[in-house]
Amino acid sequence: MNRTIGLLGGGQLGQMLCEAANPLGINVVVLDQENSPAKRVTAGSHINGSFTDPEKIRELAKRVELLTVEIEHVDTEVLEELANEGVEIQPSWKTIRTIQDKFLQKSHLEKNGVSTAVSKEVVADEAGLQEIGKELGFPFMLKSRKDAYDGRGNFPVKSPADIKEALETLKNRALYAEKWANFRMELAVMVVKTEDATSTESIGTIAYPAVETIHEDSVCKLVYLPPRGIPIKIQKQAQDLARKAVGSLWGKGVFGVELFLMHDGKLVVNEIAPRPHNSGHYTIEACPTMSQYKSQLLSILGNMPNFANSVIPSVIPAAIMLNILGGREETSHNEIMERAIAIPNASLHMYGKQSKPGRKIGHITVVASSISEAESLMSPLITLAGNMHA
Ligand code: ATP
Ligand code: MG
Ligand code: MG
């Protein structure tokens, strides 16, 4: 077995995918800018260029047996053409195209019986947003349909007075509006899809545990396994809903499903990522024999093992993941790195990226026998992370 896959995008998700590929004897050829994080993992002839450049994507396709992505903001026109020419793309270009437009994604999910935050088309001018404000109430979330990540693309419109600034901030982007979700907690579930076909019965999908995610200014900051104070029954419902959502898509691979748990106990999907996900980093330590990265590789290659009850359990009882975001200065994160290295139960993952304020440059996962033990290990690091940005 000596297989070669082509990866569109070479950021930190690609880096950790390559780290998982090495021990499996899987070669990964990465298409992204020179020196991107994933290219540092494996020497070899990667391709320098943009993962949105059709020519470069074609060049990559020639050299590998199948294509996959670590980012959804790719050119799906060329992926569709390549698929028609017989190139295998996992997950399917149809899935990537549906997901990369958040409004299309939400409509797809609703059509397939998966509840999501209420979404509306908008006329992107002052009158149009006043109208939406009347319909959805304030605050509402104005969102870019495409190219959104880390909250860049979202604008919370708290009152009619914010409308001008919202339009200015998100100008030149196609927009839609979402009803404000006054959630009790945000959850996330990684799901592996092992069948090409879609299924309304979640056939061919496997769920990782549900985790709690904490976002600050729309950026994921912390992930808790298990979610704190949430009954097992709700955790299972989150896994089931995430499996149903992923089952409705085309092709194979790993997916990150972000959910809102509402105060009445109802779960709705916020969004899906057709790739490994920040909320699944914890699987490297908590599911060491089957991390989300290994699942991505095995599922797209058709080698994913079976799991009882379609669930991948965590081997470790509790874990917390903290993102390291670039601080005020380029060296602001040195102290948190040193402190993390000094904790035996902590794993530090730096991405080799230049630090910029607010940029995701690394993460720390602590593992423990209980969530309270994990919390006491992580708490000084959370304080340090806060000081980097204060
Ligand atoms: P990423 O892809 O990095 O997760 P993104 O830019 O796609 O981020 P979203 O997931 O849409 O952004 O939103 C980021 C965060 O903003 C959510 O995790 C949640 O905390 C908040 N948020 C998003 N939509 C809503 C909503 N309708 N109501 C309330 N809060 C929301
Ligand atoms: Mg997103
Ligand atoms: Mg999100």
Side-chain angles (χ1 to χ4, degrees), residues 367-383:
V367 294
S369 52
S370 69
I371 198 77
S372 56
E373 191 192 333
E375 280 182 300
S376 53
L377 288 171
M378 192 55 108
S379 131
L381 299 178
I382 294 174
T383 307

Side-chain angles (χ1 to χ4, degrees), residues 72-73 102 148-150 258 271-272 275:
E72 57 275 28
H73 309 304
K102 284 182 168 182
Y149 71 98
D150 288 347
E258 302 177 7
E271 63 164 345
I272 302 182
R275 51 166 169 80

